[in-house]
Amino acid sequence: DLAEVRPYVDLAYRLGLLHAQMAHGAISKATLTYKGDLASKKTKLLTAAFTAGLLESRVGGVNLVNASVLAGERGIEIAESAVPKKGDFAAVMQADVETEKKTYTAAATLFGDQYLRLVQLGPYRLESYLDGVLFVFTHRDLPGLIGYVGTIFGQHRTNIAAMTVGRQAPGGEAIGVLNLDSPPPPAALEAMDQARVKLDELARQLKEDISDHKALVFSQFLGMLALIRSKLEELEIPYVYFDGSTSAPDREKAIQQFQQQESVRVFLISLKAGGVGLNLTAADYVYIMDPWWNPAVEQQAIDRTHRIGQTKNIFAYRMICKDSIEDKILQLQERKRALAKTSYRMILALLRA
């Protein structure tokens, strides 16, 4: 039996490490369910490996020998169960970890008795590598969001070796697992957090500050627009949307809805697609979610509200996080503006001469 379960030791340990990262709050119980071929095996070693992984970041000096004792000393109950019936895989180890906040579920198996695979996270089915560095994130299943995450990692020179997405229905809640070649630098994680901060601040302003006004929200990233769409739907704020892939009829329909329907107060637009050729005088608030290196592109977007028939004051906001790459882009914009003014003065001087 030892020889048969030995390949699963590393799997059990990594499953414990994963749960240690996911579990928020004090852990009270972990239930390990051995399914299929594992149900008939002696799994004490696997349970010890899982427990060691679960406690490693919380307890110093934990190992296979003392893991169960250390768990008991901390009030963590470790339970086992067996389900002989096979499902999609010949042998699966499932772990359900209970905390004061919620219960976390993850399941894993081996492919070819050597390749570790994560096959379930929460309610989501997937087939992801369980070795190396994993970056796990929940999201709405909307176009552009995965690309947005990949862009952030690319900007910080973090290579994505593999990617897996699990979902229950198209367009609904989903989970993504990225296998990275190296741990992401703090700046990459900070950029992810900055996106959340921007999203929360935009949501607050749209809900509390703009009242009966209308707003244009621009981003150069479809992923950021996808995040905003998800947030607006969560807050039940009506909106219209288009990007570069939107057909001309749908584009015109969105414009008319925004201009004419009082209930539609937010227009989400990709920065390049909405920079020219639009007349959106119904809006008096403009939000630029991320800076473009060329300030003229942003100004063109803001100018969509400055058209014949505009009677309101226009408020334009650039959502910039201090000391970030975006802050450096803003500084570049200022240098470009200064250079443009200097060039203009030189041209005038030459003409006068």
Side-chain angles (χ1 to χ4, degrees), residues 36 57 95 120 146 152 160 162 197 217 264 271 300 316-317 324 351:
S57 61
Q120 182 181 354
I146 298 295
I152 290 178
I160 299 173
V197 170
V217 181
V264 180
L271 186 60
Q300 288 174 348
Y317 297 90
S324 64
L351 289 175

Side-chain angles (χ1 to χ4, degrees), residues 194-213:
Q194 287 170 357
R196 180 190 59 79
V197 170
K198 286 186 184 183
L199 189 62
D200 290 345
E201 176 59 21
L202 176 66
R204 186 195 66 77
Q205 293 204 27
L206 293 179
K207 194 173 182 180
E208 300 176 7
D209 294 350
I210 71 170
S211 184
D212 58 347
H213 300 273

Side-chain angles (χ1 to χ4, degrees), residues 2 5-14 45-46 49-50 64 110:
L2 179 60
V5 300
R6 190 184 300 277
Y8 288 87
V9 172
D10 190 37
L11 180 144
Y13 171 70
R14 288 188 170 275
L45 181 60
L46 302 185
F50 171 85
L64 295 178
L110 286 180

Side-chain angles (χ1 to χ4, degrees), residues 97-118:
V97 174
E98 300 176 24
T99 73
E100 55 195 1
K101 296 183 178 181
K102 62 180 292 186
T103 298
Y104 300 84
T105 299
T109 188
L110 286 180
F111 284 4
D113 288 336
Q114 58 179 321
Y115 301 111
L116 285 62
R117 292 293 186 272
L118 181 66

Side-chain angles (χ1 to χ4, degrees), residues 23-165:
H24 295 285
I27 298 173
S28 59
K29 183 178 181 179
T31 302
L32 305 178
T33 305
Y34 297 100
K35 301 179 179 182
D37 291 344
L38 283 176
S40 61
K41 308 301 180 185
K42 293 180 180 180
T43 54
K44 182 178 180 180
L45 181 60
L46 302 185
T47 299
F50 171 85
T51 307
L54 183 66
L55 297 180
E56 185 172 281
S57 61
R58 301 168 184 249
V59 181
V62 64
N63 54 49
L64 295 178
V65 177
N66 63 14
S68 60
V69 174
L70 293 176
E73 290 177 350
R74 283 153 183 77
I76 302 175
E77 179 186 353
I78 307 294
E80 295 184 25
S81 66
V83 179
K85 183 179 179 181
K86 294 181 181 179
D88 296 331
F89 305 98
V92 171
M93 180 178 177
Q94 178 176 316
D96 298 280
V97 174
E98 300 176 24
T99 73
E100 55 195 1
K101 296 183 178 181
K102 62 180 292 186
T103 298
Y104 300 84
T105 299
T109 188
L110 286 180
F111 284 4
D113 288 336
Q114 58 179 321
Y115 301 111
L116 285 62
R117 292 293 186 272
L118 181 66
V119 295
Q120 182 181 354
L121 265 181
Y124 306 105
R125 305 287 180 176
L126 67 166
E127 291 183 16
S128 173
Y129 294 97
L130 190 54
D131 48 5
V133 180
L134 273 65
F135 180 81
V136 182
F137 60 101
T138 56
H139 61 283
R140 286 291 299 277
D141 182 37
L142 295 172
L145 197 145
I146 298 295
Y148 179 65
V149 174
T151 297
I152 290 178
F153 279 130
Q155 290 172 341
H156 293 86
R157 300 185 178 278
T158 302
N159 190 54
I160 299 173
M163 178 190 74
T164 309
V165 175

Side-chain angles (χ1 to χ4, degrees), residues 207-276:
K207 194 173 182 180
E208 300 176 7
D209 294 350
I210 71 170
S211 184
D212 58 347
H213 300 273
K214 292 199 172 193
L216 306 181
V217 181
F218 290 94
S219 175
Q220 59 180 304
F221 299 111
L222 296 183
M224 174 57 80
L225 292 175
L227 288 171
I228 299 171
R229 290 173 68 182
S230 178
K231 193 67 174 181
L232 294 180
E233 290 170 8
E234 176 188 329
L235 298 175
E236 298 182 344
I237 297 176
Y239 69 92
V240 288
Y241 169 95
F242 78 67
D243 57 39
S245 66
T246 305
S247 66
D250 288 342
R251 177 183 169 121
E252 183 60 28
K253 180 181 177 182
I255 292 171
Q256 295 307 316
Q257 285 180 313
F258 182 75
Q259 290 287 98
Q260 298 173 11
Q261 294 182 17
E262 281 296 313
S263 62
V264 180
R265 300 202 170 277
V266 180
F267 203 148
L268 304 182
I269 312 172
S270 63
L271 186 60
K272 299 298 287 294
V276 294

